[in-house]
Amino acid sequence: MASSAHTRPLSEVEIRVKALESLLVEKGLIDLAAVDALIDKYEHKVGPRNGARVVARAWVDPAYKARLLSHGTEAIAELGYTGMQGEDMVVVENTPEVHNVLVCTLCSCYPWPTLGLPPVWYKSAPYRSRVVIDPRGVLQEFGLQLPESTEVRVWDSTSEVRYMVLPERPPGTEHLSEDELAALVTRDAMIGVTKVSA
Ligand code: FE
């Protein structure tokens, strides 16, 4: 079964965690809203901020950018971001000529160490099927209108490889520091459904 390549059965520890969570909720010892808040933190703050620092470094350091594009996993590890779902990273660069966008058509594979947890829409069946069939149409729905001259490439996660987009550095940001640049970079731009704006 092809989809089993992207997922794996829950480990002993994961099964115990799930059982423990159910029990704690049942006994009223934890609040699912608090758990959701924690997940939200990883989905929107911790995760994507790591990827944003990778992008900002690539924007200010051409040698780092070259390493990032040729040996993604190692270059990302230079900044300390390693671990599950990030073992085999390929970074693809957006330019005026080529626009890259990411998907996992089979499930929801996603580069956790750099981008955190995937957004709900990334895991949804409509995004997964439609971005392959009509990437320009999907990008338009995200508010991104690309010129016809721009080639759109869709990268589908495999059992091992996780992709990340290196977005274009927006014009007018020449004076910004690396930290200031990192603050501009959004999760969606690193998935490739939007651009970074200044
Ligand atoms: Fe997957």
Side-chain angles (χ1 to χ4, degrees):
M1 205 174 104
S3 62
S4 64
H6 285 230
T7 53
R8 55 195 170 77
L10 291 178
S11 68
E12 184 92 347
V13 169
E14 287 164 326
I15 291 167
R16 289 171 68 114
V17 166
K18 279 196 179 298
L20 190 61
E21 183 187 276
S22 310
L23 193 66
L24 290 170
V25 170
E26 205 179 289
K27 301 260 181 210
L29 293 174
I30 60 166
D31 175 5
L32 268 188
V35 175
D36 286 346
L38 200 65
I39 291 170
D40 180 71
K41 179 180 168 181
Y42 279 92
E43 183 179 323
H44 296 290
K45 300 188 180 76
V46 175
R49 295 335 310 154
N50 294 351
R53 281 188 276 272
V54 171
V55 169
R57 175 67 53 85
W59 283 347
V60 300
D61 181 344
Y64 181 75
K65 178 179 165 182
R67 291 199 297 283
L68 185 65
L69 295 175
S70 62
H71 295 85
T73 314
E74 293 78 2
I76 290 166
E78 284 179 39
L79 301 194
Y81 311 131
T82 58
M84 208 163 73
Q85 300 282 316
E87 295 95 341
D88 198 352
M89 290 293 302
V90 171
V91 179
V92 288
E93 183 187 15
N94 279 354
T95 66
E97 291 76 36
V98 178
H99 184 91
N100 300 284
V101 59
L102 313 184
V103 67
C104 176
T105 54
L106 291 177
C107 40
S108 56
C109 296
Y110 194 72
W112 295 357
T114 39
L115 297 196
L117 299 175
V120 170
W121 57 258
Y122 181 88
K123 297 185 276 188
S124 74
Y127 175 78
R128 285 157 42 205
S129 57
R130 290 187 51 236
V131 77
V132 177
I133 300 164
D134 177 23
R136 280 176 195 277
V138 170
L139 293 176
Q140 268 172 31
E141 287 165 28
F142 277 95
L144 180 57
Q145 178 87 42
L146 293 171
E148 278 305 313
S149 57
T150 302
E151 181 193 341
V152 180
R153 292 183 191 160
V154 180
W155 297 85
D156 190 2
S157 307
T158 68
S159 54
E160 283 90 27
V161 177
R162 302 288 175 270
Y163 297 95
M164 179 181 141
V165 172
L166 173 58
E168 288 172 80
R169 180 172 176 165
T173 57
E174 295 74 15
H175 59 291
L176 296 184
S177 69
E178 190 175 331
D179 284 347
E180 289 167 331
L181 288 168
L184 298 178
V185 180
T186 63
R187 174 196 71 194
D188 288 0
M190 294 181 284
I191 301 176
V193 293
T194 59
K195 291 192 177 203
V196 176
S197 46

